[in-house]
Amino acid sequence: MTGRVSMADVARRAGVSQKTVSRVVNGEAHVSRAVRERVLREIERLGFLPNENARALVTRKSRRIGVLTTSPSYHGPAALLDGLERAAREAGYFVSIVHVHDGAARRPGEGQPGGRQPGAGEREPGAGGGGGGRPEDDVRRAVVHLVSQGVDGIVISAPVTGSADLAAAVPAGIPVLAMDFPEGGPRRGALVVANDDAGGARAITAYLLGLGHRTVHHLAGPPHWAATSRRLRGWRAALQAAGAPVPEPRHGDWSPASGYRAARELLAETGPSGMTALFAANDQMAIGALHALERSGRSVPRDVSVAGFDDIPEAAYLTVPLTTVRQDFRAAAGQGMRRLVSAMAGTGEQEGEELITPALVVRESTAGPLPPGGRRDGPQLRDGEGRP
């Protein structure tokens, strides 16, 4: 067949009405399995491509979800975005992606949109401003941009402080999924599915204290990131619950270089034996801290225990495998997308919250502090031991 294949062509070949073909294309009910399979066979054989614009006019649904995210050079946002894209495709939705400014200092080349295949989604860098101004204002502009594109739902995966509160900027009737638990508790008007950053930070800090460390120093992320404040809160809560001193945290920008600099500053400030345990708010900064400790002549974990957060793929294969907190980004994205799709279909809740519990992964970068005399007795934990 030459020329563009129409719905009438499919209907004629399948021996059904155009309305039946429309129902099959739109995934509607009231079509028998045998008829649906016959129509789908003809669609594939003829190479029929539905006119998305025409279908949107009829159904008033674009089958498109808008996603706000930040730099794909960071492990957490990149892993979460990948999970969201996969889950959306499995549900039969396209994804329009807007990269927003995260406000953190970037190294050359960071923050540029990655080269995914067109089928994975549509990126619109710059719709959120791309530079300057407050990060939360950038996110707000991006929300307005996506609404103007006629998306059926919006996912706010931009991890700046206050991003989860922006559901109020979205008109009624457009469901919103926030992949970030708002400060001060849940907000009305949005679904919230997020990893429990505070719980993970509390668990890793309590684990280090349980090894016998007097306190745990903390290398935090950029101040305006919501994850930074939650991990700070969990770290501080664990120290206070144990009656341990609460050192002043140092802030990095999530990069190994910032972890390296902050660890060197802490070593200079605390002296040879003043710091025995360090918790970094992500694995990349922990890797930088490990390098700083090695360059200073400290041994990990003999002199200083180091723990991270995220469990990036490299964490298990470092010279000293890294103890960390594992976040299941794919599970969070899948659960969030299922709830959003149900909300868009009118069969699920339009608001509500759910926290995904992270897992403690104990490897060889942590151990108890050296006893007087400098000799450590007993076996060291290996990869996989001590997991909850």
Side-chain angles (χ1 to χ4, degrees):
M1 181 175 291
T2 60
R4 182 181 176 89
V5 179
S6 69
M7 192 173 291
D9 296 325
V10 175
R12 186 167 53 254
R13 290 295 186 89
V16 298
S17 67
Q18 290 190 51
K19 179 60 176 176
T20 298
V21 176
S22 176
R23 284 174 174 163
V24 172
V25 169
N26 291 317
E28 297 176 11
H30 312 300
V31 180
S32 71
R33 180 175 179 180
V35 170
R36 186 182 301 277
E37 290 178 353
R38 186 164 75 247
V39 171
L40 290 174
R41 280 197 303 270
E42 292 303 329
I43 286 175
E44 183 177 0
R45 190 169 69 83
L46 295 173
F48 171 66
L49 296 174
N51 187 317
E52 295 295 334
N53 291 330
R55 183 164 69 177
L57 286 173
V58 174
T59 65
R60 298 189 177 181
K61 297 291 184 182
S62 65
R63 297 201 70 80
R64 189 173 300 277
I65 295 171
V67 177
L68 308 183
T69 187
T70 186
S71 172
S73 62
Y74 301 126
H75 172 74
L80 193 55
L81 177 59
D82 180 66
L84 288 167
E85 287 184 301
R86 288 172 181 266
R89 286 198 303 271
E90 290 172 1
Y93 283 83
F94 296 98
V95 175
S96 292
I97 300 169
V98 177
H99 289 286
V100 295
H101 177 55
D102 58 58
R106 291 194 182 108
R107 298 178 298 285
E110 284 193 341
Q112 301 304 314
R116 293 179 187 264
Q117 296 300 314
E122 296 180 358
R123 281 169 167 71
E124 301 183 46
R134 298 189 308 165
E136 56 268 33
D137 291 339
D138 203 28
V139 175
R140 192 178 301 276
R141 286 192 295 270
V143 167
V144 173
H145 171 78
L146 286 173
V147 170
S148 73
Q149 301 302 304
V151 296
D152 296 335
I154 291 178
V155 180
I156 300 177
S157 185
V160 297
T161 301
S163 64
D165 298 328
L166 293 175
V170 180
I174 301 179
V176 178
L177 169 66
M179 302 301 300
D180 184 23
F181 203 71
E183 294 297 317
R187 296 289 185 268
R188 295 183 61 83
L191 295 164
V192 180
V193 178
N195 284 299
D196 187 1
D197 289 299
R202 190 165 52 248
I204 192 68
T205 305
Y207 170 72
L208 290 166
L209 292 172
L211 292 175
H213 294 281
R214 176 174 171 268
T215 191
V216 178
H217 287 75
H218 184 43
L219 174 50
H224 62 276
W225 279 57
T228 296
S229 62
R230 289 193 300 271
R231 294 172 197 181
L232 270 167
R233 188 169 66 247
W235 162 76
R236 187 174 288 112
L239 293 177
Q240 291 173 342
V246 182
E248 187 68 25
R250 294 296 179 108
H251 287 272
D253 62 9
W254 301 126
S255 70
S258 69
Y260 177 84
R261 290 191 298 270
R264 286 182 63 88
E265 291 170 2
L266 279 171
L267 287 169
E269 184 178 288
T270 59
S273 59
M275 179 174 67
T276 66
L278 175 64
F279 161 45
N282 78 334
D283 289 344
Q284 285 96 337
M285 292 194 295
I287 289 172
L290 287 170
H291 185 52
L293 290 164
E294 180 186 12
R295 291 289 297 271
S296 72
R298 268 74 162 188
S299 174
V300 175
R302 183 180 184 273
D303 300 314
V304 182
S305 287
V306 177
F309 205 103
D310 286 340
D311 195 24
I312 61 175
E314 301 87 350
Y317 302 99
L318 302 173
T319 303
V320 181
L322 183 65
T323 292
T324 186
V325 176
R326 176 179 297 155
Q327 299 198 88
D328 194 338
F329 293 105
R330 181 169 294 186
Q335 178 64 7
M337 191 59 69
R338 282 190 292 273
R339 296 186 66 173
L340 180 63
V341 169
S342 295
M344 291 188 297
T347 59
E349 296 177 337
Q350 299 289 318
E351 59 185 57
E353 64 283 341
E354 179 178 349
L355 282 179
I356 306 296
T357 302
L360 177 63
V361 182
V362 176
R363 298 194 179 105
E364 296 173 31
S365 66
T366 52
L370 280 175
R375 181 181 180 85
R376 190 188 306 284
D377 296 321
Q380 299 300 302
L381 287 168
R382 299 294 174 181
D383 187 13
E385 294 184 358
R387 298 186 188 183

